C-alpha cells in the first residue's frame, strides 16, 4: 500500500520561507514521480511541482518558478518542497502525490496521479 505523509506546513509572513517534506513508502521508490499540489479554499486543486525519482528531472507551475524548489533524498524516501518568498496567494493545503510506474513528470493534473497524502496547511499572512 502506497503511503505519503506530508509535514512542514505552518504560518509564515509574506516574504518568508517554508520547507515541506513528503515521506513515501509502499512502492519501489526509484520508479515513480512525486508531485506537489495545492488547494486553496474555494478553488480547485492545482499542480505546483514534480520530481522524477528516477532521473531527478523536475517540473514547475509558472506561478512558483524561481521561488519553489523540489528535491529528493532517496536514502530517506523523502521529497522536499522548498518555498521561498511566500505570498498570501500561496496559502493552501499542500498535498504530495505519487504517479507509480512512470519515470518522467507528467502534466500536473489530478487525474495523472495515483496516490495522495492528507496534506499540510500553509498559511501566508500579509
Amino acid at each position: 500500500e502506497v503511503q505519503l505523509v506530508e509535514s512542514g506546513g505552518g504560518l509564515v509572513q509574506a516574504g518568508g520561507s517554508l520547507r515541506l517534506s513528503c515521506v513515501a513508502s509502499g512502492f519501489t521508490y526509484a520508479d515513480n514521480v512525486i508531485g506537489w499540489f495545492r488547494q486553496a479554499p474555494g478553488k480547485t486543486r492545482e499542480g505546483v511541482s514534480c520530481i522524477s525519482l528516477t532521473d531527478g528531472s523536475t517540473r514547475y507551475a509558472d506561478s512558483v518558478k524561481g521561488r519553489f524548489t523540489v528535491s529528493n533524498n532517496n536514502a530517506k524516501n523523502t521529497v522536499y518542497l522548498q518555498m521561498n518568498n511566500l505570498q498570501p496567494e500561496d496559502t493552501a493545503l499542500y498535498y504530495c502525490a505519487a504517479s507509480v510506474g512512470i519515470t518522467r513528470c507528467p502534466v500536473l493534473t489530478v487525474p495523472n496521479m495515483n496516490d495522495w497524502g492528507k496534506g499540510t496547511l500553509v498559511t501566508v499572512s500579509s
Side-chain angles (χ1 to χ4, degrees):
E1 178 186 2
V2 175
Q3 290 191 329
L4 302 166
V5 180
E6 305 95 335
S7 63
L11 173 63
V12 64
Q13 289 188 331
S17 298
L18 284 173
R19 188 178 78 159
L20 306 184
S21 299
C22 172
V23 180
S25 62
F27 56 78
T28 303
Y29 190 70
D31 296 335
N32 307 280
V33 299
I34 298 290
W36 285 98
F37 289 72
R38 65 186 181 186
Q39 188 164 14
K43 295 189 176 181
T44 58
R45 195 170 298 188
E46 63 172 353
V48 173
S49 183
C50 177
I51 186 166
S52 163
L53 305 183
T54 302
D55 64 9
S57 58
T58 58
R59 192 171 192 138
Y60 295 93
D62 289 342
S63 58
V64 305
K65 281 180 181 176
R67 300 189 299 125
F68 290 12
T69 303
V70 62
S71 62
N72 173 42
N73 185 326
N74 279 342
K76 294 184 177 181
N77 282 14
T78 301
V79 170
Y80 304 98
L81 185 68
Q82 177 68 42
M83 305 186 296
N84 298 329
N85 191 23
L86 284 161
Q87 299 300 315
E89 54 265 34
D90 296 315
T91 294
L93 191 58
Y94 282 72
Y95 300 87
C96 67
S99 188
V100 177
I102 67 171
T103 58
R104 299 299 298 272
C105 285
V107 173
L108 290 173
T109 61
V110 171
N112 280 342
M113 312 306 287
N114 305 117
D115 299 278
W116 294 82
K118 294 184 178 180
T120 185
L121 182 63
V122 171
T123 304
V124 184
S125 63
S126 56

